[in-house]
Amino acid sequence: MNSNLPVTRLGADRASQVCRTVNLRHAVCSSAAIMEWTTVLEVAVIGGAVGLGAYCFSCAAHVWRRRNAPNRAARTPGRLLGTIRRGAGAVMVAGMLGMAVSFGWWAAVGHEGLLEGDGLFTVRRPADLEVVHLTPHSHVEEGALLARFHSPEAEAQIAVLKLRRESLAAEQEALLHQVLAVDPEIAQKMADANAQERTLRTNLSDLTLEKERLGRESLREQLGRREDIKRRELEIRKLEAEVEQARSTLHLHSDDHARSATLRERKAVTEQQHAEKEAELEAAHIEVRKLQEQLQQTREQKAELEQGLERFRHLSEQQARDLRESIAAVQDRLEQIGRSQGELQRRREEDLRRAKRHRRKSLKKMAVETAQTERQLAAQQERLEKRAPFAGQVAYRAAAPGNANSHDPLIVLSPPGGLRLNIRLPGWMKPPLEDTAEFSWKLLEDLERDEQRRFVESRFTTRLHRWEDLAAHRGYGLAEFTCDAPAEAVRLLARGEQIAARLVWRPPLHAMPAFMMSMVVASVAAMAWVATHAQTKSEPTRSAPPGSVNGHGAIRELSTEFGAEGELLRLLGTQLREMTVRGELDVNIIAAAEWALARHRDRAVRLLS
């Protein structure tokens, strides 16, 4: 059977549960010292190196202390300075011990996590089917074939279902292309109404065109007659002006004629000149009468044109009214036919809806049967062919699929980042984790529970996916890693078993707060100890009272100027001889002699001998 591994992303409850599991395993591993031989060897080597270093340091400190004992005795520091020096030494030793403990924890303590799957797709063999093919590809796309099975009964049922699907498809195609049946009486009435409508619309178009033509011609005729009237008006105004001018000329000639008559009576002009004035006056009268007659004729022509324009306008309006009435009658008839067509169309649509409902019900019934057939066919094909529901990596492929049991996985498909490792780690490890690209892990073999769990490929690498701070465990966080686990581990994971792995990678030692704090404390204490030691050396020595012959006096006198060194060394030799003769051992005199030999070498040997 095909099953998906019931693994989802960790929520808050799941995270806390995983943390408790990892914490329990971590505590058991740390307290019970469950570790591999390589870890034991590393701890033994590190412990031996630390022990050897501590031994060498203690020996060097003891030798240095014994060699500088006379000098310390000669330089007796103050009480406060001595207390500070001793405290600084103790703190320095404590800091070094803290560094050693931190280094031991860093080297010995391991961190373990649980391997889990997120969205894995597992293909298993059905009990009644045989495995024919498994995909050889390591990466598949969505919908790609993962596995194919074989069963004669299933293949025969698939062939029957395909034939049924083709038959239903042919029936649906024929029903879709079948013409819907309509009442013949309604169709005939609809055709008659459409013919009448076409005839009336043709008449309406002709009447409309005639009306427009009549309007255009009437307008053009009226415009022409109005232009004639305007031309007559212009001629009338022109003739009136000319009549006025002729009358003015007539008035001038009349005045000239009167003057000429007066002058003729006085014999001032000749008869011929007077006759010329009379002729001019007569010509002026004739010109005035002619212009007046033209003006009268023009006015009569204008009146006739205006009367003709008025008659033409009335006639045009009458024709336009007749055409409008004819158009209105045709439009009324069209409205009546339209209402009749609407009723016929409504009856026709009802008939068509009835036919469509019948066809729709038939098609729906066929669609339901087709869908049932498709589902049955898909179910049978899904039993025989398992396809990838998403694009991903083949994390496990059975080497011998024919021998696999029904509960064993054949193929495990993992989405990108589908395999996760969850581990609880201290919060100070977050920065080095984020700065590292890949981490090395090792699968744990739980030999106490299952003697058969042994991994051929036990080491693999991971990448940090996310970090989540744990509110219930302050100072700790849940680190989630994405990995490409070995196929053996994926197989066990698909079977529902828990897989534990140990983090082989270690963070840098300088990232550990305890180590850095211990190093800082030890460094500060060492600086304080060196400062107090230098302060003790810089203090002036106290001179011994005259005649002092004990060891302390000899050590203090040996630190005087060069001129007194000989006497002091001879005095020290005398004390050594007396101590030897008496057979008494004075530690201070011996320490003073050792210091003199170490300080003055040949001079001290010669003078002491």
Side-chain angles (χ1 to χ4, degrees):
M1 296 178 61
N2 185 9
S3 62
N4 292 328
L5 204 61
V7 179
T8 57
R9 295 189 180 276
L10 294 174
D13 298 337
R14 180 61 177 160
S16 61
Q17 180 182 359
V18 171
C19 290
R20 288 195 296 270
T21 305
V22 175
N23 189 20
L24 179 60
R25 294 180 63 89
H26 179 71
V28 171
C29 177
S30 300
S31 60
I34 302 176
M35 58 182 68
E36 300 180 358
W37 288 106
T38 55
T39 307
V40 173
L41 183 60
E42 289 179 1
V43 173
V45 171
I46 293 172
V50 172
L52 180 62
Y55 174 75
C56 295
F57 178 77
S58 62
C59 290
H62 177 71
V63 171
W64 179 85
R65 186 178 180 84
R66 291 296 304 272
R67 181 168 293 180
N68 291 277
N71 192 19
R72 289 198 307 272
R75 296 189 302 269
T76 335
R79 181 176 298 178
L80 178 60
L81 197 61
T83 303
I84 294 175
R85 183 177 178 182
R86 288 190 295 274
V91 172
M92 181 176 62
V93 173
M96 295 176 68
L97 289 176
M99 291 172 61
V101 171
S102 301
F103 181 78
W105 183 92
W106 175 82
V109 175
H111 301 280
E112 296 181 4
L114 292 179
L115 180 65
E116 293 189 356
D118 186 4
L120 299 181
F121 180 75
T122 306
V123 178
R124 292 181 172 86
R125 183 181 70 84
D128 56 342
L129 299 180
E130 297 178 1
V131 182
V132 178
H133 170 75
L134 293 180
T135 178
H137 305 289
S138 59
H139 181 80
V140 296
E141 299 295 333
E142 182 178 356
L145 180 64
L146 294 178
R148 184 182 293 113
F149 303 97
H150 171 70
S151 173
E153 295 82 2
E155 290 178 355
Q157 190 173 2
I158 287 175
V160 172
L161 291 172
K162 286 183 178 179
L163 289 175
R164 184 181 178 186
R165 181 182 62 182
E166 292 176 1
S167 175
L168 289 173
E171 291 180 6
Q172 286 180 344
E173 186 71 17
L175 186 59
L176 285 173
H177 289 85
Q178 183 180 357
V179 180
L180 296 175
V182 184
D183 190 358
E185 183 181 357
I186 297 175
Q188 184 62 37
K189 291 181 178 180
M190 194 74 178
D192 295 341
N194 291 336
Q196 293 180 9
E197 181 185 9
R198 286 194 295 271
T199 303
L200 290 174
R201 289 195 180 279
T202 303
N203 296 335
L204 180 62
S205 177
D206 294 340
L207 291 173
T208 304
L209 292 175
E210 181 65 21
K211 178 184 175 183
E212 292 176 356
R213 185 188 62 79
L214 180 62
R216 288 195 298 270
E217 292 180 356
S218 175
L219 181 60
R220 185 167 53 250
E221 185 66 24
Q222 290 180 12
L223 290 175
R225 297 195 179 196
R226 286 196 180 95
E227 289 179 359
D228 293 340
I229 292 172
K230 287 182 179 180
R231 282 197 295 271
R232 297 297 183 276
E233 289 178 352
L234 292 176
E235 290 179 2
I236 289 171
R237 285 197 291 271
K238 181 179 179 182
L239 291 172
E240 288 178 350
E242 290 178 355
V243 168
E244 290 295 330
Q245 185 177 2
R247 286 177 179 174
S248 299
T249 304
L250 178 61
H251 181 68
L252 291 175
H253 286 296
S254 177
D255 292 341
D256 290 341
H257 183 270
R259 283 195 303 272
S260 177
T262 303
L263 293 174
R264 184 175 63 87
E265 291 176 358
R266 294 178 182 177
K267 304 297 183 179
V269 296
T270 63
E271 287 295 336
Q272 185 179 358
Q273 290 177 347
H274 180 70
E276 290 177 358
K277 295 295 181 181
E278 285 182 354
E280 289 177 358
L281 178 60
E282 185 63 25
H285 280 290
I286 294 171
E287 183 67 23
V288 170
R289 284 195 299 271
K290 184 180 69 173
L291 290 174
Q292 286 178 349
E293 289 176 358
Q294 290 179 358
L295 178 60
Q296 183 64 29
Q297 292 177 359
T298 304
R299 285 176 177 173
E300 290 176 357
Q301 291 175 359
K302 176 186 174 186
E304 290 177 0
L305 289 173
E306 288 178 350
Q307 291 176 2
L309 177 62
E310 187 67 23
R311 286 193 302 272
F312 180 79
R313 186 167 54 251
H314 287 300
L315 181 59
S316 299
E317 289 177 357
Q318 182 63 35
Q319 291 178 351
R321 280 196 298 271
D322 295 341
L323 289 174
R324 282 197 297 270
E325 290 175 358
S326 300
I327 291 172
V330 173
Q331 289 177 347
D332 292 340
R333 181 59 182 161
L334 282 174
E335 290 179 0
Q336 293 176 3
I337 293 177
R339 287 192 293 270
S340 149
Q341 287 177 333
E343 181 65 21
L344 292 173
Q345 183 67 23
R346 184 184 62 79
R347 293 172 58 187
R348 183 173 179 273
E349 289 177 355
E350 287 180 356
D351 197 25
L352 287 175
R353 281 196 295 269
R354 177 189 56 77
K356 288 181 180 179
R357 283 196 299 270
H358 179 69
R359 176 189 285 182
R360 192 162 49 247
K361 289 180 181 179
S362 301
L363 290 174
K364 185 176 181 181
K365 181 180 178 182
M366 292 181 182
V368 171
E369 294 178 359
T370 304
Q372 291 176 353
T373 305
E374 290 287 350
R375 282 195 294 269
Q376 293 174 2
L377 183 60
Q380 292 296 330
Q381 289 179 346
E382 187 178 358
R383 291 186 71 242
L384 297 181
E385 293 183 356
K386 302 298 182 182
R387 297 190 175 272
F390 51 82
Q393 192 80 14
V394 177
Y396 172 76
R397 183 187 297 105
N403 299 329
N405 298 324
S406 59
H407 62 278
D408 289 333
L410 296 176
I411 284 183
V412 178
L413 183 63
S414 171
L419 293 174
R420 303 292 176 87
L421 264 168
N422 300 285
I423 184 172
R424 194 191 75 158
L425 295 174
W428 60 269
M429 293 182 67
K430 180 180 179 181
L433 286 174
E434 294 177 345
D435 295 337
T436 306
E438 292 186 350
F439 305 88
S440 179
W441 289 74
K442 185 173 183 180
L443 295 174
L444 297 181
E445 299 176 355
D446 194 358
L447 299 181
E448 294 182 357
R449 185 184 65 183
D450 187 359
E451 293 294 340
Q452 301 301 323
R453 178 180 288 188
R454 297 175 185 272
F455 299 102
V456 177
E457 298 181 13
S458 59
R459 289 186 178 268
F460 60 98
T461 58
T462 63
R463 294 166 297 279
L464 181 64
H465 177 65
R466 68 185 181 93
W467 174 278
E468 180 183 352
D469 294 327
L470 299 177
H473 302 273
R474 294 182 61 84
Y476 286 86
L478 179 66
E480 186 176 3
F481 297 85
T482 59
C483 64
D484 296 329
E488 299 173 284
V490 177
R491 176 176 173 271
L492 295 175
L493 189 65
R495 295 180 60 180
E497 299 184 15
Q498 285 190 345
I499 308 298
R502 175 175 296 139
L503 181 62
V504 180
W505 172 86
R506 290 190 179 95
L509 191 60
H510 61 78
M512 191 173 182
F515 180 83
M516 294 301 297
M517 187 178 299
S518 300
M519 186 174 68
V520 171
V521 170
S523 302
V524 173
M527 290 168 49
W529 188 86
V530 170
T532 54
H533 185 69
Q535 183 67 23
T536 303
K537 282 186 177 182
S538 63
E539 289 182 355
T541 57
R542 295 186 296 270
S543 60
S548 176
V549 294
N550 56 14
H552 292 288
I555 294 173
R556 286 193 296 269
E557 291 296 335
L558 282 174
S559 61
T560 56
E561 296 180 357
F562 181 77
E565 288 180 356
E567 295 297 328
L568 292 175
L569 291 175
R570 289 191 180 90
L571 177 61
L572 182 59
T574 303
Q575 293 177 353
L576 283 172
R577 186 184 63 224
E578 292 177 357
M579 180 185 71
T580 304
V581 172
R582 290 196 304 269
E584 296 177 358
L585 183 62
D586 192 344
V587 177
N588 295 325
I589 296 177
I590 293 175
E594 289 177 354
W595 182 87
L597 290 172
R599 174 70 180 276
H600 300 283
R601 298 184 180 275
D602 297 335
R603 180 189 296 268
V605 171
R606 187 175 63 254
L607 294 177
L608 289 177
S609 64

